[in-house]
Structures are given as C-alpha cells and as structure tokens.
Amino acid sequence: MIQRFIELGEGYGDVFELCELAKTNQHRIHHAFILHGTKNDKKSVSLALALKPAGDVPFIPIYICREGMDFREPKMERQLAFEKVLADLDVTPVTLEVKHSSEFGSVDHYYQALIAIMRLNHLLPPLS
C-alpha cells in the first residue's frame, strides 16, 4: 500500500479545507493526526488526515497542514475547528510527538520519516 503526503498549506483556509475533506470523505477516514514538533524550544502543530484508498487503487493519501500553528493553551481556533469536525464524525485523532521538519534535509525526508513512524505504530498499513 503506497502512502503519500499531500500538503495543503499552513493558513487558516487550508485547515478548513482539511475539515471539508474530512466531512465529505468521512467514510474513507483511516486516521486523523495531530503532530507536535519542536524547534528552538518552540512547539508547532501539524494537522493531518489519512484516507482509505478510493476503489481498488492501492494508495492512501495523507493530507497535511504542516507546522502552521504554534502549540499553546488555549488551543488555536484552527486546531479546535479540526478537533470539532473529528468529534462530530466520531473520529479520535492520534497525537504524536515528532521532530520538526527543519531537522531533516528536505520535506520529503520528513514525510518519509513520518510514514515510517506511522507504519511502525500500525497507524498505516505496510507497503504491499
């Protein structure tokens, strides 16, 4: 099974697009993720949504809004909106502490590391 990250962006509208993807594809939701990364003692939040394959195609898209929000309490409105949509859909997000993407040579290496972590924790199926 092939998994690939599809980056939406870091802005306010991008998170709401992610929320709409969840609503319109609720039957395909495999997992939702809230990822915390740290850079220079400052935590950031990424929101991601992994969808089950469409039809017989062995491909799992993972839509992500990467590191566009600071981690803080109270939570930012964008994160609260994502969590509310997931709660309405009866989906519990998986929270992971991961390295910040800036610690990798490229964003592609970062995404490869995230996929490996998710596979090792049985959150994504293995390659087939």
Side-chain angles (χ1 to χ4, degrees):
M1 188 71 58
I2 299 168
Q3 298 97 14
R4 184 170 301 128
F5 277 90
I6 301 169
E7 194 166 314
L8 296 176
E10 302 173 1
Y12 196 77
D14 299 303
V15 172
F16 286 99
E17 184 64 26
L18 186 65
C19 291
E20 283 302 311
L21 280 168
K23 290 178 196 174
T24 58
N25 291 286
Q26 69 183 42
H27 63 286
R28 289 184 58 207
I29 295 175
H30 182 67
H31 281 293
F33 300 96
I34 299 173
L35 309 172
H36 297 160
T38 304
K39 179 181 181 182
N40 300 330
D41 296 326
K42 186 176 178 184
K43 275 190 168 184
S44 63
V45 177
S46 299
L47 306 174
L49 183 68
L51 300 179
K52 295 174 187 168
D56 294 334
V57 179
F59 172 69
I60 294 179
I62 309 164
Y63 293 93
I64 187 167
C65 294
R66 180 174 51 96
E67 298 163 348
M69 295 172 277
D70 292 334
F71 177 81
R72 62 180 174 155
E73 292 295 336
K75 294 176 183 173
M76 294 187 74
E77 184 179 341
R78 291 176 282 173
Q79 183 176 348
L80 291 172
F82 182 66
E83 290 176 354
K84 182 183 180 326
V85 166
L86 295 177
D88 291 347
L89 300 174
D90 199 27
V91 174
T92 303
V94 176
T95 302
L96 297 171
E97 294 285 332
V98 298
K99 287 185 176 184
H100 194 272
S101 65
S102 64
E103 294 187 41
F104 293 83
S106 70
V107 175
D108 287 337
H109 290 139
Y110 172 67
Y111 288 149
Q112 289 171 359
L114 287 182
I115 287 173
I117 290 166
M118 291 172 181
R119 284 183 188 150
L120 286 171
N121 286 290
H122 305 286
L123 300 170
L124 292 176
L127 283 174
S128 55

